[in-house]
Amino acid sequence: KLRKAETRFQPNLSWLEQDVSASKALTRIQEVLAAPSPYGLVKEVEGLIQQIAQVNDALIAEHRARVLPEIDKQVGKVQIELDAAQADHDLRNQCLYPLQQLKKQVETQTSLAHIDQAGSRAVDLVDQAFAKLEEAVKPPPKKPGGGNVNDVTQPKPYVKLRRVIKPSALAPEGYLETQADIDAYLDRLRGALEKVVAAGDRIEIR
């Protein structure tokens, strides 16, 4: 039973070791396992496992409570864009289903590392959803003599393209130490922002 308990809590071991009570219980489990005659110590087993399980469950709940709202936030962003684009059922499903599945996985996931990774995974899925949406609403190419290649009687809703700007990626290596460093960085950032706006697109800062 102790061996099974060891396996059960292994994915979250580094977090459990940071909790005083769980760390003591884990240490005691190791002592029992290493004992030449552990049978007299079996009465401690249930209490040790329960003690660690309580801490483990609390950590899982804490991490889920942090990540699930972030996934909901990302779902909301995609839904707003889908509504603006008057997206059909098929496109909505393509954009939202991966995020909905990710949320379900987090709700049952017991590995803290995997739960935390779901936050960044949600951002990647949103990027993919926006790419699908932008492709779906992209206007058809113009005919040489004017008009669209496909005779579309009802134009598609216009959705501004989204461009991600990461200010840290525009910063120089090392530190900003002088006013000249600051001015150069701000000029670079301003130039990147203005270029997006001038193209008629919109900016998401990350």
Side-chain angles (χ1 to χ4, degrees):
K1 184 174 285 190
L2 282 172
R3 289 295 183 190
K4 288 182 179 179
E6 250 194 332
T7 302
R8 173 185 172 187
F9 301 119
Q10 191 67 35
N12 303 325
L13 194 57
S14 60
W15 281 275
L16 289 168
E17 288 175 339
Q18 296 175 35
D19 181 270
V20 175
S21 62
S23 180
K24 288 181 178 179
L26 287 166
T27 299
R28 183 54 180 162
I29 285 177
Q30 293 297 326
E31 291 172 353
V32 173
L33 287 170
S37 300
Y39 303 106
L41 305 173
V42 169
K43 61 184 178 181
E44 295 184 47
V45 171
E46 289 297 339
L48 291 169
I49 294 175
Q50 184 177 3
Q51 189 174 350
I52 298 170
Q54 288 176 347
V55 176
N56 190 62
D57 291 345
L59 285 170
I60 291 171
E62 177 187 337
H63 284 242
R64 282 181 184 157
R66 182 169 64 247
V67 172
L68 286 173
E70 285 302 311
I71 296 177
D72 286 336
K73 180 181 176 181
Q74 300 300 332
V75 170
K77 285 171 60 175
V78 176
Q79 286 176 329
I80 289 172
E81 298 303 315
L82 290 169
D83 291 342
Q86 300 174 25
D88 59 22
H89 175 76
D90 184 55
L91 181 57
R92 285 179 178 275
N93 189 56
Q94 289 181 44
C95 293
L96 292 174
Y97 182 76
L99 284 162
Q100 292 164 347
Q101 288 301 108
L102 180 66
K103 182 177 179 180
K104 287 181 180 179
Q105 291 169 13
V106 171
E107 289 171 342
T108 58
Q109 178 61 252
T110 57
S111 166
L112 298 178
H114 289 163
I115 292 173
D116 290 345
Q117 289 165 6
S120 58
R121 176 60 180 157
V123 175
D124 293 338
L125 291 175
V126 169
D127 288 342
Q128 294 173 23
F130 270 79
K132 289 185 176 74
L133 177 59
E134 290 173 1
E135 180 64 26
V137 301
K138 185 169 64 176
K142 297 289 184 180
K143 288 180 179 179
N148 295 326
V149 173
N150 301 319
D151 290 325
V152 181
T153 55
Q154 193 71 21
K156 295 179 181 179
Y158 174 67
V159 176
K160 275 190 173 185
L161 298 181
R162 182 194 60 148
R163 296 292 175 254
V164 175
I165 297 291
K166 299 179 180 180
S168 60
L170 298 171
E173 294 183 6
Y175 302 95
L176 300 176
E177 300 186 58
T178 67
Q179 185 62 47
D181 292 340
I182 295 172
D183 292 341
Y185 169 64
L186 292 178
D187 287 344
R188 193 178 301 115
L189 178 58
R190 177 182 291 275
L193 297 173
E194 290 177 345
K195 183 178 180 180
V196 174
V197 173
D201 299 334
R202 53 186 168 162
I203 299 164
E204 178 179 342
I205 299 292
R206 285 190 192 165

